[in-house]
Amino acid sequence: MKKTNSKTPTTRIQRQKRLVILEAALEVFSKHGFRGSTLDQIASEAGISKPNILYYYASKQEMHKELIERMMDKWLAPLEEMNAKGDPIAEISAYIKRKLEMARDYPRQSRLFNNEILQGAPHIIDLLEGELKILVDEKAKVIANWMKKGRLTKTDPYHLIFSIWATTQHYADFDVQVCAVLGEKSAINHRFKVAQKHLDLLFVRALEVE
Amino acid sequence: MKKTNSKTPTTRIQRQKRLVILEAALEVFSKHGFRGSTLDQIASEAGISKPNILYYYASKQEMHKELIERMMDKWLAPLEEMNAKGDPIAEISAYIKRKLEMARDYPRQSRLFNNEILQGAPHIIDLLEGELKILVDEKAKVIANWMKKGRLTKTDPYHLIFSIWATTQHYADFDVQVCAVLGEKSAINHRFKVAQKHLDLLFVRALEVE
DNA sequence: GTCTATATATTGATAGAC
DNA sequence: GTCTATCAATATATAGAC
C-alpha cells in the first residue's frame, strides 16, 4: 500500500483512528494547555502507543492545530444565527440558550479555547482580529440598531456580547469551582436548568423596555 | 554566614530578591500554567540565573504554592466585604465594582487562578470546597434574604454570584480576545469605564424591584 | 500499521568553584 | 550569593524490525 500523507487520510479506518487520537488529545490539551500536555498522556488516554500516534499525526502541533480549527467553526456558529429580523429579546434569549448548551455539551472545547486565550492566543490571534471581529462588529450593529429603535435597553453592544460569552462559558471553564461551591447536591442537568433560568432572567430583565 | 532556609528569609535583601523572582514566576505561570512553565522562562524573565532562582526557592512547586496562597486571600476579600446590613442594590453594585477593579489591577493573578481551575484545581480544591464554599454559602444566604424581603428580584443567589465572577474576570482572562474584538481604538482606561457602566446597568436593572 | 529501541533536546535540580 | 558545568529524568520525534 502506498504511503499515505498524514494530512490527507483516505480510508475510513484511518479517519476513525485519527478521531480516536483527536478525542484523546482534546481531553489532555483542554486540561493542561499545549505546552503542559505530553504525547505520553495523549497516547495513554487514547490507548495507542506513542510512535503510532505520530504515524497518524506528524507532530504534537498538528494535532493541536486540527483541534483548534475544528472548534472555531463550531464556536462562531451560535452568534452567526442571531437574526436581525427577529424579536430582539427572543433573539438574545435564544443566543444565550445556544451558548449555554455548548458549554454543557462541549466543555472541553471551551477549555481548549480558554487555554489558548490565556496563553495570548498565539495560534488564533489572526482569526480573532479578523473573522471574529467582523462577525461581532456586524452583530453589535444589529444590537445597537435594536437599541436605537427603543426595542432594547441601551448599553454597550460589545460588552453585552462579552457578558453573554463570560456567563455561559463560565459553566464549562470553571466547572470544578461551580461544583465545589454548589456541593454534591447539584447534578449536571439540574445545574444547567437553574443556570439557564437565571441567565434568562438576568439578561431579559436588564434589556427589556416596559 | 550561616545557611538560610529558603522558606524563612530573614534579611531585607533576601525578601526583595524573592519578590523579584515571584513577580517573574507570576508572569510565566499565569500564561502557561504550572506544567507549561519552565525555570528557564522564569529565570530569563527575572534576569537571574536558574541556579540562583533555586537558591531562593527550593523548587518550582514552592514558587507556585506561594503565588497561589498570596492570591487566594486577595481573591476572597471583595465578597467578604459585602454587608448584610447595607442597601442590597448598592452592596451588589459595589461588589461588582471591586471585582472589576481587581480584574483591571491584577489580571495575572486572575489568569493564574483560571489556569489552576482549568487543570482541575489540584492545589486548591480543598480550599474551594472548604473556605470558599462556606463564604459563598453565607453570602448567598444574605442575598436570598434580601430577595425574600422583596428588596431584590428573585433569582438563584449562587448563580448570581457566578455571573458576577464570570463577567468581571472575563476582562482579565480574555483580555486578548476583548482587545482583538474592540480593536486598537479602546485604551484600557476607557475599556474598563465602559465595562463598569455596562455591568452596573446589567445587574442593577435586572435585580431592581420597582 | 504497530511495535521496541533509540536519537536528540529540554527540563528540574545539584555540585562545586569563586 | 552567584556563577558554570553537569546530572538524571523526561520530552518530541525517528529508525527499523516485524
Side-chain angles (χ1 to χ4, degrees), chain A residues 119-154:
Chain A
Q119 282 160 40
H123 306 98
I124 55 167
I125 185 67
D126 290 348
L127 213 147
L128 298 185
E129 290 173 343
E131 206 174 331
L132 178 66
K133 179 169 165 44
I134 289 168
L135 175 62
V136 175
D137 280 342
E138 178 202 326
K139 297 306 181 180
K141 220 170 273 178
V142 169
I143 292 172
N145 213 32
W146 285 337
M147 289 174 180
K148 206 187 289 174
K149 285 184 183 159
R151 303 182 70 188
L152 279 182
T153 303
K154 278 184 177 137

Side-chain angles (χ1 to χ4, degrees), chain B residues 1 4 8-18 56:
Chain B
M1 192 178 287
T4 316
T8 53
T10 44
T11 76
R12 194 179 58 82
I13 298 273
Q14 282 174 324
R15 277 193 298 274
Q16 233 167 18
K17 207 104 199 217
R18 279 172 67 99
Y56 289 97

Side-chain angles (χ1 to χ4, degrees), chain A residues 31 35-36 38 113-114 119 133 153-155 159 163 166 171 177 180-181 198 201-202 205-206 208 210, chain B residues 31 35-36 38 41 113-114 119 133 153-155 159 163 166 171 177 180-181 198 201-202 205-206 208:
Chain A
K31 218 174 173 181
R35 293 214 37 193
T38 70
F113 184 73
N114 190 330
Q119 282 160 40
K133 179 169 165 44
T153 303
K154 278 184 177 137
T155 187
H159 290 261
S163 295
Y171 291 99
Q177 183 180 239
V181 167
H198 161 71
L201 175 135
L202 178 65
R205 236 184 100 84
E208 240 170 13
E210 308 85 30
Chain B
K31 221 173 171 182
R35 292 216 36 195
T38 70
Q41 289 175 293
F113 184 72
N114 190 332
Q119 282 160 42
K133 178 169 166 44
T153 303
K154 276 182 178 141
T155 187
H159 290 260
S163 294
Y171 291 99
Q177 183 178 239
V181 167
H198 161 71
L201 175 135
L202 178 66
R205 235 184 101 84
E208 240 170 12

Side-chain angles (χ1 to χ4, degrees), chain A residues 50-84:
Chain A
K50 200 162 45 166
N52 204 5
I53 298 264
L54 289 165
Y55 173 78
Y56 288 97
Y57 282 93
S59 69
K60 185 180 162 185
Q61 270 286 352
E62 198 184 302
M63 272 182 267
H64 189 257
K65 196 183 163 203
E66 183 163 336
L67 277 174
I68 291 273
E69 283 170 357
R70 278 170 180 249
M71 183 213 48
M72 284 308 292
D73 292 336
K74 192 183 298 225
W75 226 238
L76 298 182
L79 183 54
E80 273 164 354
E81 289 177 37
M82 200 168 77
N83 180 9

Side-chain angles (χ1 to χ4, degrees), chain B residues 51-64:
Chain B
N52 204 5
I53 297 263
L54 290 165
Y55 173 79
Y56 289 97
Y57 283 93
S59 68
K60 186 181 163 185
Q61 270 287 350
E62 197 184 303
M63 274 182 266
H64 190 257

Side-chain angles (χ1 to χ4, degrees), chain A residues 99-113:
Chain A
K99 280 298 271 183
L100 193 59
E101 279 164 358
M102 291 210 54
R104 183 193 60 198
D105 298 336
Y106 304 96
R108 295 174 307 176
Q109 279 84 344
S110 182
R111 289 194 278 265
L112 181 75
F113 184 73

